[in-house]
């Protein structure tokens, strides 16, 4: 398991009856791989995991692992209302073909550090898979501080990475100051990727990559290699779309962009509803603007296979 590079937070495709569209998910995963992505992260927030049944989650991992493994790793996000369910999910995705875990705090309950540490520890102990801790206090209300992350890293060898989505780039430098190279740090918000790399991040769990993988990989590589002018030109073009990843309706927005690009459907499961009215018009306009003014430095993603 190599914790580096651009790893899509994969959307979960649904058919017209809102059933999981496994055929599309497999094609989509292969297309992302062929456009340079380093791994697949499934069942996260963008993957609408909260609307998937336990069995659906396992089947998504099986589909993606069957499509891209062993060429690149599949990481399963572990989220649940209870620790017992999270442990069972971690064990099941391990058997289904996942090579790594991304551990979220429990849904709904915002516990203190003692409780959250016990939750994470139970999941880490449930399998031998390496794991990434997902810190997203904006969405989940639980903040794993750099000091707490350092404590977990000292006590649990299988903790290998952190997805930092606090929106504060200073967290990247703070975690590095406390843990050195012990943990691979991934940026988890799309519109902070260049700044995050400058601060020491080595990976990107990306959202708009679902529609623009080649461009996302190029941006990551330009920033990592210090090609600042190329990175700036591409970043400036990309930012209106990347900012879609930072608002409450990010799932609807990113899926709408996929549909506009001919790379998926805007279908979401309730309680989410597809965009309409001014929100839909704004999303369409942002996509059209980006499509019409793609910078010369950007490489177009190859066509999605049928």
């Amino acid at each position: 398991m190599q914790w580096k590079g651009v790893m899509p937070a994969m959307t979960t495709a649904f058919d017209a009856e809102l059933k999981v569209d496994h055929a599309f998910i497999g094609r989509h995963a292969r297309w992302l791989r062929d456009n340079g992505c380093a791994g697949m992260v499934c069942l996260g927030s963008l993957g609408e995991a909260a609307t998937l049944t336990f069995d659906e989650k396992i089947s998504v991992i099986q589909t993606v692992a069957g499509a891209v493994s062993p060429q690149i790793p599949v990481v399963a996000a572990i989220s649940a209302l209870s620790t017992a369910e999270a442990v069972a999910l971690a064990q099941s995705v391990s058997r289904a073909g996942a090579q790594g875990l991304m551990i979220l705090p429990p849904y709904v309950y915002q516990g203190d550090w003692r409780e959250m540490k016990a939750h994470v520890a139970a999941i880490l102990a449930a399998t031998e898979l390496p794991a990434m801790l997902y810190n997203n206090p904006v969405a989940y209300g639980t903040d794993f501080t750099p000091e707490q992350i350092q404590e977990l890293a000292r006590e649990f060898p299988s903790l290998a990475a952190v997805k930092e989505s606090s929106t504060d780039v200073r967290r990247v430098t703070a975690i590095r100051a406390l843990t050195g190279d012990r943990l691979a740090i991934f940026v988890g918000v799309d519109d902070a990727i260049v700044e995050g790399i400058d601060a020491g991040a080595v990976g990107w769990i990306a959202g708009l990559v679902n529609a623009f993988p080649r461009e996302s990989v190029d941006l990551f590589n330009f920033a990592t290699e210090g090609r600042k002018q190329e990175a700036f030109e591409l970043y400036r073009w990309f930012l209106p779309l990347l900012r879609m990843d930072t608002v409450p309706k990010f799932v609807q927005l990113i899926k709408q962009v996929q549909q506009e690009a001919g790379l998926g459907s805007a279908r979401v499961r309730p309680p989410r509803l597809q965009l309409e009215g001014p929100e839909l018009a704004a999303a369409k306009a942002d996509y059209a603007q980006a499509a019409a003014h793609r910078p010369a430095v950007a490489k177009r993603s190859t066509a999605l296979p049928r």
Side-chain angles (χ1 to χ4, degrees):
M1 179 72 215
Q2 296 294 314
W3 296 98
K4 61 182 180 180
V6 179
M7 296 190 183
M10 285 191 69
T11 53
T12 300
F14 301 118
D15 64 19
E17 297 179 346
L18 294 185
K19 295 180 181 178
V20 176
D21 188 344
H22 288 279
F24 179 85
I25 289 172
R27 293 198 307 274
H28 190 210
R30 288 191 295 272
W31 176 70
L32 292 168
R33 175 200 64 194
D34 294 344
N35 276 284
C37 294
M40 301 294 147
V41 179
C42 308
L43 312 180
S45 307
L46 186 53
E48 297 175 77
T51 71
L52 301 177
T53 68
F54 191 98
D55 289 343
E56 284 176 330
K57 292 178 182 180
I58 305 308
S59 67
V60 167
I61 296 300
Q62 290 171 332
T63 294
V64 176
V68 302
S69 181
Q71 293 98 328
I72 61 172
V74 176
V75 177
I78 304 299
S79 59
L81 289 168
S82 71
T83 301
E85 182 182 352
V87 166
L89 181 60
Q91 294 170 332
S92 295
V93 296
S94 177
R95 294 188 291 268
Q99 285 92 39
L101 307 176
M102 184 174 75
I103 301 174
L104 281 70
Y107 284 146
V108 181
Y109 183 65
Q110 299 174 13
D112 61 23
W113 168 231
R114 181 175 67 92
E115 293 170 316
M116 294 303 98
K117 182 179 179 181
H119 179 81
V120 172
I123 298 168
L124 290 170
T127 81
E128 296 181 354
L129 293 180
M132 166 185 287
L133 181 69
Y134 183 12
N135 185 44
N136 189 339
V138 177
Y140 299 113
T142 298
D143 188 7
F144 294 102
T145 67
E147 292 76 16
Q148 291 166 353
I149 292 170
Q150 178 189 39
E151 186 175 324
L152 288 170
R154 284 174 174 170
E155 297 182 23
F156 300 99
S158 62
L159 182 64
V162 177
K163 177 185 176 183
E164 178 51 58
S165 297
S166 67
T167 74
D168 185 352
V169 176
R170 294 173 299 177
R171 285 295 186 94
V172 175
T173 53
I175 295 168
R176 289 194 69 210
L178 292 175
T179 64
D181 295 328
R182 167 69 180 81
L183 299 174
I185 303 174
F186 280 62
V187 174
V189 285
D190 280 359
D191 66 346
I193 182 56
V194 172
E195 298 88 337
I197 290 171
D198 283 345
V202 298
W204 181 14
I205 307 295
L208 268 299
V209 68
N210 282 280
F212 293 97
R214 187 67 257 172
E215 297 84 347
S216 299
V217 171
D218 282 351
L219 177 59
F220 178 86
N221 288 340
F222 291 157
T224 300
E225 295 165 8
R227 297 161 65 178
K228 293 187 179 297
Q229 185 58 40
E230 293 162 295
F232 176 75
E233 183 181 349
L234 186 51
Y235 202 29
R236 181 172 56 182
W237 165 79
F238 215 170
L239 272 172
L241 297 178
L242 295 179
R243 292 190 180 110
M244 292 180 175
D245 184 55
T246 66
V247 296
K249 291 188 179 180
F250 71 105
V251 176
Q252 293 96 315
L253 286 163
I254 291 172
K255 280 191 161 183
Q256 186 66 46
V257 169
Q258 283 186 258
Q259 179 167 297
E260 296 301 314
L263 300 167
S265 166
R267 299 185 192 101
V268 290
R269 274 187 175 172
R272 289 184 176 90
L273 299 174
Q274 289 180 224
L275 302 174
E276 61 180 22
E279 289 180 321
L280 177 59
K284 285 176 171 285
D286 284 343
Y287 173 79
Q289 177 77 3
H293 297 90
R294 187 188 304 266
V297 68
K299 295 180 182 177
R300 293 180 181 270
S301 303
T302 60
L304 183 71
R306 297 290 180 183

